[in-house]
Tab-separated table of all heavy atoms in Angstrom:
chain	number	residue	atom	x	y	z
A	157	MET	N	64.068	-95.606	-95.539
A	157	MET	CA	62.865	-96.399	-95.684
A	157	MET	C	61.987	-96.128	-94.474
A	157	MET	O	62.445	-96.184	-93.357
A	157	MET	CB	63.247	-97.873	-95.762
A	157	MET	CG	62.111	-98.767	-96.003
A	157	MET	SD	62.566	-100.511	-96.181
A	157	MET	CE	63.951	-100.477	-97.265
A	158	SER	N	60.740	-95.831	-94.686
A	158	SER	CA	59.849	-95.581	-93.562
A	158	SER	C	59.416	-96.895	-92.945
A	158	SER	O	59.486	-97.955	-93.550
A	158	SER	CB	58.633	-94.787	-94.030
A	158	SER	OG	57.821	-95.576	-94.856
A	159	ASN	N	58.972	-96.819	-91.708
A	159	ASN	CA	58.532	-98.018	-90.988
A	159	ASN	C	57.043	-98.221	-91.139
A	159	ASN	O	56.379	-98.684	-90.222
A	159	ASN	CB	58.910	-97.909	-89.507
A	159	ASN	CG	60.391	-98.015	-89.304
A	159	ASN	OD1	61.077	-98.659	-90.079
A	159	ASN	ND2	60.895	-97.387	-88.272
A	160	THR	N	56.509	-97.903	-92.274
A	160	THR	CA	55.099	-98.072	-92.541
A	160	THR	C	54.756	-99.555	-92.547
A	160	THR	O	55.471	-100.356	-93.134
A	160	THR	CB	54.739	-97.470	-93.925
A	160	THR	OG1	55.169	-96.121	-93.947
A	160	THR	CG2	53.265	-97.557	-94.183
A	161	PRO	N	53.671	-99.935	-91.882
A	161	PRO	CA	53.284	-101.349	-91.898
A	161	PRO	C	53.035	-101.828	-93.313
A	161	PRO	O	52.555	-101.078	-94.151
A	161	PRO	CB	51.979	-101.389	-91.097
A	161	PRO	CG	51.859	-100.080	-90.420
A	161	PRO	CD	52.736	-99.115	-91.144
A	162	SER	N	53.365	-103.084	-93.565
A	162	SER	CA	53.149	-103.612	-94.904
A	162	SER	C	51.762	-104.224	-94.990
A	162	SER	O	51.467	-105.218	-94.363
A	162	SER	CB	54.213	-104.653	-95.240
A	162	SER	OG	54.073	-105.770	-94.424
A	163	ASN	N	50.898	-103.571	-95.713
A	163	ASN	CA	49.580	-104.111	-96.008
A	163	ASN	C	49.084	-103.456	-97.278
A	163	ASN	O	49.726	-102.588	-97.829
A	163	ASN	CB	48.613	-103.932	-94.824
A	163	ASN	CG	48.405	-102.475	-94.461
A	163	ASN	OD1	48.297	-101.627	-95.338
A	163	ASN	ND2	48.364	-102.185	-93.185
A	164	ALA	N	47.947	-103.871	-97.734
A	164	ALA	CA	47.462	-103.408	-99.029
A	164	ALA	C	47.056	-101.937	-99.022
A	164	ALA	O	46.965	-101.327	-100.064
A	164	ALA	CB	46.291	-104.269	-99.468
A	165	THR	N	46.822	-101.335	-97.846
A	165	THR	CA	46.357	-99.963	-97.808
A	165	THR	C	47.468	-98.950	-97.562
A	165	THR	O	47.277	-97.776	-97.790
A	165	THR	CB	45.268	-99.784	-96.730
A	165	THR	OG1	45.824	-100.130	-95.463
A	165	THR	CG2	44.071	-100.656	-97.020
A	166	ALA	N	48.604	-99.373	-97.068
A	166	ALA	CA	49.704	-98.452	-96.789
A	166	ALA	C	50.915	-98.847	-97.616
A	166	ALA	O	51.279	-100.005	-97.687
A	166	ALA	CB	50.046	-98.480	-95.311
A	167	ALA	N	51.546	-97.846	-98.237
A	167	ALA	CA	52.720	-98.109	-99.058
A	167	ALA	C	53.984	-97.820	-98.263
A	167	ALA	O	53.998	-96.946	-97.397
A	167	ALA	CB	52.683	-97.245	-100.314
A	168	VAL	N	55.033	-98.556	-98.563
A	168	VAL	CA	56.343	-98.305	-97.985
A	168	VAL	C	56.995	-97.257	-98.874
A	168	VAL	O	57.164	-97.466	-100.071
A	168	VAL	CB	57.191	-99.595	-97.939
A	168	VAL	CG1	58.589	-99.297	-97.428
A	168	VAL	CG2	56.511	-100.656	-97.086
A	169	GLU	N	57.332	-96.123	-98.284
A	169	GLU	CA	57.909	-95.019	-99.036
A	169	GLU	C	59.428	-95.136	-99.037
A	169	GLU	O	60.039	-95.306	-97.990
A	169	GLU	CB	57.475	-93.698	-98.409
A	169	GLU	CG	57.661	-92.514	-99.302
A	169	GLU	CD	56.969	-91.294	-98.751
A	169	GLU	OE1	57.543	-90.659	-97.853
A	169	GLU	OE2	55.851	-90.995	-99.216
A	170	LEU	N	60.027	-95.054	-100.216
A	170	LEU	CA	61.466	-95.242	-100.370
A	170	LEU	C	62.158	-93.966	-100.819
A	170	LEU	O	61.616	-93.209	-101.617
A	170	LEU	CB	61.738	-96.338	-101.402
A	170	LEU	CG	61.141	-97.711	-101.117
A	170	LEU	CD1	61.360	-98.627	-102.304
A	170	LEU	CD2	61.736	-98.302	-99.863
A	171	GLN	N	63.372	-93.782	-100.324
A	171	GLN	CA	64.253	-92.699	-100.752
A	171	GLN	C	65.254	-93.293	-101.747
A	171	GLN	O	65.388	-94.509	-101.859
A	171	GLN	CB	65.005	-92.117	-99.547
A	171	GLN	CG	64.107	-91.593	-98.462
A	171	GLN	CD	63.324	-90.363	-98.879
A	171	GLN	OE1	63.790	-89.554	-99.688
A	171	GLN	NE2	62.128	-90.215	-98.333
A	172	ALA	N	65.994	-92.446	-102.426
A	172	ALA	CA	67.004	-92.918	-103.373
A	172	ALA	C	68.041	-93.794	-102.667
A	172	ALA	O	68.541	-94.755	-103.247
A	172	ALA	CB	67.676	-91.740	-104.059
A	173	SER	N	68.329	-93.517	-101.408
A	173	SER	CA	69.317	-94.306	-100.656
A	173	SER	C	68.824	-95.717	-100.345
A	173	SER	O	69.619	-96.585	-99.967
A	173	SER	CB	69.676	-93.589	-99.355
A	173	SER	OG	68.518	-93.437	-98.542
A	174	ASP	N	67.536	-95.987	-100.485
A	174	ASP	CA	66.960	-97.313	-100.226
A	174	ASP	C	67.029	-98.223	-101.453
A	174	ASP	O	66.627	-99.386	-101.379
A	174	ASP	CB	65.494	-97.189	-99.800
A	174	ASP	CG	65.328	-96.430	-98.513
A	174	ASP	OD1	66.157	-96.620	-97.598
A	174	ASP	OD2	64.373	-95.638	-98.416
A	175	LEU	N	67.484	-97.705	-102.571
A	175	LEU	CA	67.518	-98.479	-103.812
A	175	LEU	C	68.809	-99.260	-103.943
A	175	LEU	O	69.837	-98.803	-103.457
A	175	LEU	CB	67.332	-97.537	-105.000
A	175	LEU	CG	66.030	-96.734	-104.955
A	175	LEU	CD1	65.967	-95.770	-106.119
A	175	LEU	CD2	64.802	-97.629	-104.933
A	176	PRO	N	68.845	-100.416	-104.530
A	176	PRO	CA	67.727	-101.073	-105.203
A	176	PRO	C	66.704	-101.587	-104.192
A	176	PRO	O	67.056	-102.102	-103.132
A	176	PRO	CB	68.376	-102.225	-105.959
A	176	PRO	CG	69.611	-102.542	-105.197
A	176	PRO	CD	70.059	-101.224	-104.602
A	177	ALA	N	65.445	-101.423	-104.526
A	177	ALA	CA	64.359	-101.826	-103.632
A	177	ALA	C	64.166	-103.331	-103.674
A	177	ALA	O	64.256	-103.952	-104.730
A	177	ALA	CB	63.074	-101.130	-104.055
A	178	HIS	N	63.892	-103.897	-102.511
A	178	HIS	CA	63.611	-105.333	-102.439
A	178	HIS	C	62.606	-105.615	-101.345
A	178	HIS	O	62.407	-104.811	-100.439
A	178	HIS	CB	64.899	-106.137	-102.220
A	178	HIS	CG	65.615	-105.793	-100.954
A	178	HIS	ND1	65.268	-106.330	-99.739
A	178	HIS	CD2	66.644	-104.956	-100.718
A	178	HIS	CE1	66.066	-105.846	-98.810
A	178	HIS	NE2	66.910	-104.993	-99.375
A	179	CYS	N	61.963	-106.727	-101.452
A	179	CYS	CA	61.013	-107.196	-100.461
A	179	CYS	C	61.371	-108.644	-100.148
A	179	CYS	O	61.719	-109.383	-101.069
A	179	CYS	CB	59.586	-107.095	-101.002
A	179	CYS	SG	58.318	-107.375	-99.751
A	180	PRO	N	61.349	-109.083	-98.894
A	180	PRO	CA	60.941	-108.319	-97.729
A	180	PRO	C	61.963	-107.257	-97.375
A	180	PRO	O	63.153	-107.406	-97.654
A	180	PRO	CB	60.817	-109.362	-96.625
A	180	PRO	CG	61.657	-110.514	-97.061
A	180	PRO	CD	61.693	-110.466	-98.554
A	181	ASN	N	61.491	-106.164	-96.756
A	181	ASN	CA	62.395	-105.084	-96.379
A	181	ASN	C	62.871	-105.295	-94.940
A	181	ASN	O	62.282	-106.090	-94.202
A	181	ASN	CB	61.722	-103.722	-96.588
A	181	ASN	CG	60.571	-103.484	-95.639
A	181	ASN	OD1	60.745	-103.438	-94.432
A	181	ASN	ND2	59.370	-103.307	-96.189
A	182	PRO	N	63.924	-104.628	-94.532
A	182	PRO	CA	64.503	-104.847	-93.202
A	182	PRO	C	63.554	-104.559	-92.044
A	182	PRO	O	63.732	-105.096	-90.950
A	182	PRO	CB	65.698	-103.882	-93.165
A	182	PRO	CG	66.033	-103.638	-94.588
A	182	PRO	CD	64.738	-103.717	-95.340
A	183	ALA	N	62.532	-103.746	-92.248
A	183	ALA	CA	61.600	-103.418	-91.170
A	183	ALA	C	60.546	-104.502	-90.949
A	183	ALA	O	59.825	-104.471	-89.955
A	183	ALA	CB	60.914	-102.085	-91.473
A	184	MET	N	60.442	-105.463	-91.850
A	184	MET	CA	59.428	-106.513	-91.723
A	184	MET	C	59.847	-107.547	-90.686
A	184	MET	O	61.021	-107.877	-90.580
A	184	MET	CB	59.197	-107.195	-93.075
A	184	MET	CG	58.544	-106.315	-94.083
A	184	MET	SD	58.331	-107.205	-95.643
A	184	MET	CE	57.025	-106.249	-96.358
A	185	PRO	N	58.876	-108.068	-89.942
A	185	PRO	CA	59.202	-109.107	-88.952
A	185	PRO	C	59.643	-110.399	-89.636
A	185	PRO	O	59.249	-110.678	-90.773
A	185	PRO	CB	57.896	-109.310	-88.190
A	185	PRO	CG	56.824	-108.751	-89.067
A	185	PRO	CD	57.463	-107.722	-89.950
A	186	LEU	N	60.458	-111.162	-88.942
A	186	LEU	CA	61.009	-112.395	-89.495
A	186	LEU	C	59.916	-113.366	-89.944
A	186	LEU	O	60.061	-114.035	-90.956
A	186	LEU	CB	61.924	-113.063	-88.471
A	186	LEU	CG	62.677	-114.297	-88.933
A	186	LEU	CD1	63.553	-113.977	-90.136
A	186	LEU	CD2	63.520	-114.853	-87.802
A	187	TRP	N	58.797	-113.414	-89.235
A	187	TRP	CA	57.750	-114.373	-89.585
A	187	TRP	C	57.137	-114.089	-90.947
A	187	TRP	O	56.534	-114.968	-91.555
A	187	TRP	CB	56.658	-114.426	-88.519
A	187	TRP	CG	55.929	-113.127	-88.310
A	187	TRP	CD1	56.179	-112.204	-87.335
A	187	TRP	CD2	54.851	-112.601	-89.091
A	187	TRP	NE1	55.327	-111.138	-87.464
A	187	TRP	CE2	54.500	-111.352	-88.530
A	187	TRP	CE3	54.149	-113.044	-90.202
A	187	TRP	CZ2	53.478	-110.559	-89.042
A	187	TRP	CZ3	53.138	-112.246	-90.716
A	187	TRP	CH2	52.808	-111.025	-90.130
A	188	SER	N	57.288	-112.874	-91.447
A	188	SER	CA	56.676	-112.546	-92.735
A	188	SER	C	57.640	-112.721	-93.908
A	188	SER	O	57.361	-112.262	-95.003
A	188	SER	CB	56.161	-111.099	-92.717
A	188	SER	OG	57.241	-110.189	-92.661
A	189	SER	N	58.738	-113.403	-93.667
A	189	SER	CA	59.752	-113.561	-94.715
A	189	SER	C	59.270	-114.410	-95.886
A	189	SER	O	58.459	-115.317	-95.718
A	189	SER	CB	61.012	-114.202	-94.134
A	189	SER	OG	61.664	-113.311	-93.282
A	190	HIS	N	59.775	-114.087	-97.032
A	190	HIS	CA	59.574	-114.853	-98.257
A	190	HIS	C	60.834	-114.653	-99.080
A	190	HIS	O	61.699	-113.864	-98.699
A	190	HIS	CB	58.308	-114.403	-98.991
A	190	HIS	CG	58.241	-112.937	-99.318
A	190	HIS	ND1	59.081	-112.318	-100.236
A	190	HIS	CD2	57.444	-111.958	-98.839
A	190	HIS	CE1	58.788	-111.039	-100.313
A	190	HIS	NE2	57.801	-110.778	-99.469
A	191	PRO	N	61.012	-115.349	-100.182
A	191	PRO	CA	62.216	-115.140	-100.996
A	191	PRO	C	62.353	-113.668	-101.388
A	191	PRO	O	61.354	-112.985	-101.640
A	191	PRO	CB	61.974	-116.003	-102.238
A	191	PRO	CG	61.033	-117.056	-101.763
A	191	PRO	CD	60.149	-116.385	-100.742
A	192	ARG	N	63.590	-113.172	-101.397
A	192	ARG	CA	63.838	-111.775	-101.754
A	192	ARG	C	63.545	-111.552	-103.227
A	192	ARG	O	63.985	-112.299	-104.081
A	192	ARG	CB	65.280	-111.391	-101.463
A	192	ARG	CG	65.578	-109.935	-101.828
A	192	ARG	CD	66.963	-109.539	-101.484
A	192	ARG	NE	67.021	-109.308	-100.051
A	192	ARG	CZ	68.024	-108.725	-99.432
A	192	ARG	NH1	69.083	-108.343	-100.114
A	192	ARG	NH2	67.993	-108.545	-98.142
A	193	VAL	N	62.774	-110.511	-103.486
A	193	VAL	CA	62.497	-110.082	-104.851
A	193	VAL	C	62.885	-108.613	-104.976
A	193	VAL	O	62.663	-107.824	-104.068
A	193	VAL	CB	61.019	-110.274	-105.254
A	193	VAL	CG1	60.683	-111.716	-105.485
A	193	VAL	CG2	60.074	-109.674	-104.235
A	194	TYR	N	63.510	-108.278	-106.096
A	194	TYR	CA	63.873	-106.894	-106.362
A	194	TYR	C	62.748	-106.245	-107.146
A	194	TYR	O	62.126	-106.876	-107.992
A	194	TYR	CB	65.208	-106.823	-107.107
A	194	TYR	CG	66.344	-107.168	-106.192
A	194	TYR	CD1	66.782	-108.471	-106.045
A	194	TYR	CD2	66.958	-106.178	-105.430
A	194	TYR	CE1	67.804	-108.805	-105.173
A	194	TYR	CE2	67.978	-106.492	-104.553
A	194	TYR	CZ	68.402	-107.792	-104.430
A	194	TYR	OH	69.397	-108.103	-103.554
A	195	LEU	N	62.483	-104.997	-106.830
A	195	LEU	CA	61.338	-104.294	-107.383
A	195	LEU	C	61.786	-103.183	-108.332
A	195	LEU	O	62.690	-102.414	-108.017
A	195	LEU	CB	60.515	-103.688	-106.242
A	195	LEU	CG	60.080	-104.719	-105.194
A	195	LEU	CD1	59.668	-104.027	-103.915
A	195	LEU	CD2	58.969	-105.590	-105.730
A	196	ASP	N	61.139	-103.096	-109.480
A	196	ASP	CA	61.447	-102.078	-110.475
A	196	ASP	C	60.511	-100.889	-110.275
A	196	ASP	O	59.320	-100.978	-110.536
A	196	ASP	CB	61.280	-102.657	-111.880
A	196	ASP	CG	61.620	-101.668	-112.973
A	196	ASP	OD1	62.111	-100.556	-112.656
A	196	ASP	OD2	61.406	-102.004	-114.146
A	197	LEU	N	61.073	-99.795	-109.781
A	197	LEU	CA	60.292	-98.585	-109.534
A	197	LEU	C	60.476	-97.548	-110.634
A	197	LEU	O	59.978	-96.437	-110.529
A	197	LEU	CB	60.701	-97.974	-108.188
A	197	LEU	CG	60.506	-98.879	-106.980
A	197	LEU	CD1	61.214	-98.309	-105.771
A	197	LEU	CD2	59.041	-99.071	-106.694
A	198	SER	N	61.163	-97.920	-111.702
A	198	SER	CA	61.479	-96.949	-112.751
A	198	SER	C	60.298	-96.615	-113.656
A	198	SER	O	60.352	-95.655	-114.409
A	198	SER	CB	62.650	-97.449	-113.600
A	198	SER	OG	62.292	-98.628	-114.289
A	199	HIS	N	59.236	-97.358	-113.589
A	199	HIS	CA	58.057	-97.103	-114.421
A	199	HIS	C	56.889	-96.708	-113.530
A	199	HIS	O	56.167	-97.566	-113.031
A	199	HIS	CB	57.683	-98.333	-115.248
A	199	HIS	CG	58.803	-98.832	-116.104
A	199	HIS	ND1	59.273	-98.129	-117.175
A	199	HIS	CD2	59.565	-99.939	-116.019
A	199	HIS	CE1	60.275	-98.797	-117.731
A	199	HIS	NE2	60.475	-99.898	-117.044
A	200	GLY	N	56.738	-95.425	-113.308
A	200	GLY	CA	55.611	-94.953	-112.511
A	200	GLY	C	55.937	-94.711	-111.050
A	200	GLY	O	55.103	-94.205	-110.314
A	201	GLY	N	57.111	-95.111	-110.584
A	201	GLY	CA	57.516	-94.826	-109.213
A	201	GLY	C	56.919	-95.711	-108.146
A	201	GLY	O	57.042	-95.423	-106.957
A	202	SER	N	56.273	-96.821	-108.534
A	202	SER	CA	55.752	-97.740	-107.530
A	202	SER	C	55.808	-99.172	-108.053
A	202	SER	O	55.899	-99.405	-109.249
A	202	SER	CB	54.321	-97.380	-107.133
A	202	SER	OG	53.438	-97.584	-108.207
A	203	ALA	N	55.778	-100.107	-107.104
A	203	ALA	CA	55.794	-101.529	-107.446
A	203	ALA	C	55.137	-102.300	-106.317
A	203	ALA	O	55.143	-101.857	-105.159
A	203	ALA	CB	57.218	-102.015	-107.664
A	204	THR	N	54.600	-103.461	-106.643
A	204	THR	CA	53.948	-104.323	-105.658
A	204	THR	C	54.666	-105.657	-105.605
A	204	THR	O	54.958	-106.254	-106.645
A	204	THR	CB	52.474	-104.556	-106.045
A	204	THR	OG1	51.825	-103.283	-106.149
A	204	THR	CG2	51.754	-105.413	-105.017
A	205	CYS	N	54.937	-106.126	-104.396
A	205	CYS	CA	55.591	-107.423	-104.219
A	205	CYS	C	54.639	-108.529	-104.658
A	205	CYS	O	53.482	-108.580	-104.221
A	205	CYS	CB	55.988	-107.615	-102.764
A	205	CYS	SG	56.672	-109.262	-102.427
A	206	SER	N	55.128	-109.422	-105.492
A	206	SER	CA	54.292	-110.514	-105.992
A	206	SER	C	54.028	-111.578	-104.928
A	206	SER	O	53.108	-112.376	-105.077
A	206	SER	CB	54.931	-111.142	-107.225
A	206	SER	OG	56.216	-111.639	-106.904
A	207	TYR	N	54.823	-111.619	-103.861
A	207	TYR	CA	54.613	-112.608	-102.804
A	207	TYR	C	53.614	-112.147	-101.755
A	207	TYR	O	52.698	-112.874	-101.405
A	207	TYR	CB	55.934	-112.942	-102.103
A	207	TYR	CG	56.808	-113.889	-102.869
A	207	TYR	CD1	57.864	-113.421	-103.625
A	207	TYR	CD2	56.589	-115.256	-102.828
A	207	TYR	CE1	58.681	-114.282	-104.337
A	207	TYR	CE2	57.383	-116.133	-103.531
A	207	TYR	CZ	58.431	-115.643	-104.290
A	207	TYR	OH	59.223	-116.505	-104.987
A	208	CYS	N	53.815	-110.944	-101.215
A	208	CYS	CA	53.005	-110.525	-100.073
A	208	CYS	C	52.073	-109.354	-100.369
A	208	CYS	O	51.238	-109.009	-99.541
A	208	CYS	CB	53.906	-110.175	-98.885
A	208	CYS	SG	54.953	-108.727	-99.141
A	209	GLY	N	52.220	-108.731	-101.533
A	209	GLY	CA	51.333	-107.646	-101.900
A	209	GLY	C	51.713	-106.286	-101.333
A	209	GLY	O	50.971	-105.323	-101.510
A	210	THR	N	52.861	-106.192	-100.659
A	210	THR	CA	53.294	-104.905	-100.128
A	210	THR	C	53.570	-103.947	-101.279
A	210	THR	O	54.211	-104.311	-102.256
A	210	THR	CB	54.564	-105.066	-99.272
A	210	THR	OG1	54.278	-105.956	-98.195
A	210	THR	CG2	55.037	-103.732	-98.717
A	211	VAL	N	53.061	-102.732	-101.156
A	211	VAL	CA	53.254	-101.712	-102.185
A	211	VAL	C	54.421	-100.826	-101.759
A	211	VAL	O	54.496	-100.379	-100.617
A	211	VAL	CB	51.982	-100.863	-102.370
A	211	VAL	CG1	52.209	-99.744	-103.369
A	211	VAL	CG2	50.827	-101.741	-102.800
A	212	TYR	N	55.329	-100.592	-102.684
A	212	TYR	CA	56.475	-99.708	-102.475
A	212	TYR	C	56.338	-98.549	-103.437
A	212	TYR	O	55.948	-98.736	-104.587
A	212	TYR	CB	57.782	-100.450	-102.758
A	212	TYR	CG	58.070	-101.550	-101.767
A	212	TYR	CD1	57.512	-102.804	-101.909
A	212	TYR	CD2	58.895	-101.307	-100.684
A	212	TYR	CE1	57.768	-103.810	-100.995
A	212	TYR	CE2	59.169	-102.313	-99.762
A	212	TYR	CZ	58.603	-103.557	-99.918
A	212	TYR	OH	58.867	-104.543	-99.005
A	213	LYS	N	56.660	-97.345	-102.947
A	213	LYS	CA	56.618	-96.180	-103.836
A	213	LYS	C	57.771	-95.251	-103.490
A	213	LYS	O	58.263	-95.228	-102.363
A	213	LYS	CB	55.288	-95.444	-103.729
A	213	LYS	CG	55.065	-94.758	-102.403
A	213	LYS	CD	53.777	-93.980	-102.421
A	213	LYS	CE	53.663	-93.188	-101.116
A	213	LYS	NZ	52.525	-92.294	-101.125
A	214	LEU	N	58.189	-94.496	-104.485
A	214	LEU	CA	59.239	-93.503	-104.280
A	214	LEU	C	58.659	-92.304	-103.546
A	214	LEU	O	57.531	-91.884	-103.821
A	214	LEU	CB	59.813	-93.048	-105.619
A	214	LEU	CG	60.591	-94.100	-106.386
A	214	LEU	CD1	61.005	-93.552	-107.753
A	214	LEU	CD2	61.826	-94.539	-105.612
A	215	ALA	N	59.422	-91.758	-102.618
A	215	ALA	CA	59.012	-90.567	-101.888
A	215	ALA	C	58.898	-89.407	-102.885
A	215	ALA	O	59.632	-89.356	-103.872
A	215	ALA	CB	60.013	-90.242	-100.801
A	216	PRO	N	57.999	-88.475	-102.628
A	216	PRO	CA	57.868	-87.311	-103.518
A	216	PRO	C	59.212	-86.596	-103.664
A	216	PRO	O	59.924	-86.390	-102.680
A	216	PRO	CB	56.860	-86.423	-102.803
A	216	PRO	CG	56.065	-87.369	-101.950
A	216	PRO	CD	57.042	-88.431	-101.529
A	217	GLY	N	59.557	-86.273	-104.887
A	217	GLY	CA	60.810	-85.574	-105.169
A	217	GLY	C	62.015	-86.459	-105.347
A	217	GLY	O	63.101	-85.982	-105.672
A	218	THR	N	61.870	-87.771	-105.158
A	218	THR	CA	62.989	-88.691	-105.329
A	218	THR	C	63.307	-88.825	-106.810
A	218	THR	O	62.417	-89.048	-107.622
A	218	THR	CB	62.677	-90.076	-104.744
A	218	THR	OG1	62.364	-89.927	-103.365
A	218	THR	CG2	63.850	-91.022	-104.897
A	219	VAL	N	64.571	-88.681	-107.136
A	219	VAL	CA	65.015	-88.752	-108.528
A	219	VAL	C	65.851	-90.011	-108.716
A	219	VAL	O	66.777	-90.264	-107.956
A	219	VAL	CB	65.847	-87.512	-108.902
A	219	VAL	CG1	66.370	-87.621	-110.325
A	219	VAL	CG2	65.031	-86.244	-108.721
A	220	LEU	N	65.483	-90.825	-109.716
A	220	LEU	CA	66.270	-92.007	-110.049
A	220	LEU	C	67.387	-91.591	-110.982
A	220	LEU	O	67.153	-90.882	-111.963
A	220	LEU	CB	65.392	-93.059	-110.729
A	220	LEU	CG	64.265	-93.636	-109.898
A	220	LEU	CD1	63.442	-94.608	-110.743
A	220	LEU	CD2	64.804	-94.324	-108.668
A	221	LYS	N	68.586	-92.026	-110.692
A	221	LYS	CA	69.741	-91.688	-111.527
A	221	LYS	C	69.995	-92.818	-112.508
A	221	LYS	O	69.978	-93.981	-112.147
A	221	LYS	CB	70.970	-91.487	-110.658
A	221	LYS	CG	70.752	-90.492	-109.561
A	221	LYS	CD	71.760	-89.427	-109.589
A	221	LYS	CE	71.486	-88.527	-108.406
A	221	LYS	NZ	71.739	-87.204	-108.577
A	222	ALA	N	70.218	-92.454	-113.753
A	222	ALA	CA	70.531	-93.445	-114.786
A	222	ALA	C	71.962	-93.920	-114.585
A	222	ALA	O	72.820	-93.185	-114.114
A	222	ALA	CB	70.378	-92.842	-116.171
A	223	HIS	N	72.237	-95.144	-114.983
A	223	HIS	CA	73.587	-95.703	-114.850
A	223	HIS	C	74.425	-95.382	-116.051
A	223	HIS	O	74.039	-95.302	-117.135
A	223	HIS	CB	73.516	-97.214	-114.671
A	223	HIS	CG	72.962	-97.575	-113.340
A	223	HIS	ND1	71.641	-97.893	-113.160
A	223	HIS	CD2	73.515	-97.630	-112.124
A	223	HIS	CE1	71.432	-98.156	-111.892
A	223	HIS	NE2	72.567	-98.000	-111.250
């Protein structure tokens, strides 16, 4: 997981090892905490947190494995 700041203009880029994706992520400061939500990146490779608006996206070339 990259240490990209969480805001509406910068996305947090995720690798396959970062899945399942959730927000808040470990790089976020404690003061920005909200209830943990899991994000579905299987449709289009990106998702937005409904609490804080942080955008998460899969890194280029990341392949999701089916269960």
